[in-house]
Amino acid sequence: MKQLTILFVCGAGLGSSFACQMSAEDVLETLGVKARLDHSDISSAVSMQPDIIMTGQNFQSQFEKFAIDEAKTSLIYLKNIVSKAEIEEKIVPVLIQKGILND
């Protein structure tokens, strides 16, 4: 079975995306979900084709310019990229949809 890949994205792919990744690691551990996590900048993210892209809501208009197959790559936009509550609230339905978690 292919390992779930989650990519955390910000403008430069260094600071806020990594902070978001660290918050999500705690959420995923609590949920018992194992995934390959990485962080990147926007332009690189489009070609990486992860299962999930998690990024700040301020980047939504930039992602809408790219043709991302949302049947394959789910996009999650966050108001607060380090809010574990928001990350859990938004990632659980995606994980259920992808068959990683049960209802």
Side-chain angles (χ1 to χ4, degrees), residues 2 8 15 20-21 31 37-38 46 48 53 61-62 72 76 81 88 100 102:
K2 180 186 168 216
F8 302 87
C20 184
Q21 179 180 332
L31 295 171
L37 309 179
D38 202 357
V46 174
M48 295 174 79
I53 291 176
S61 63
Q62 294 180 44
K72 183 175 183 177
I76 297 175
I81 61 167
E88 183 173 348
I100 305 298
N102 296 321

Side-chain angles (χ1 to χ4, degrees), residues 90-103:
K90 292 186 175 176
I91 201 167
V92 165
V94 173
L95 294 173
I96 291 170
Q97 180 187 23
K98 291 187 176 291
I100 305 298
L101 290 178
N102 296 321
D103 275 328

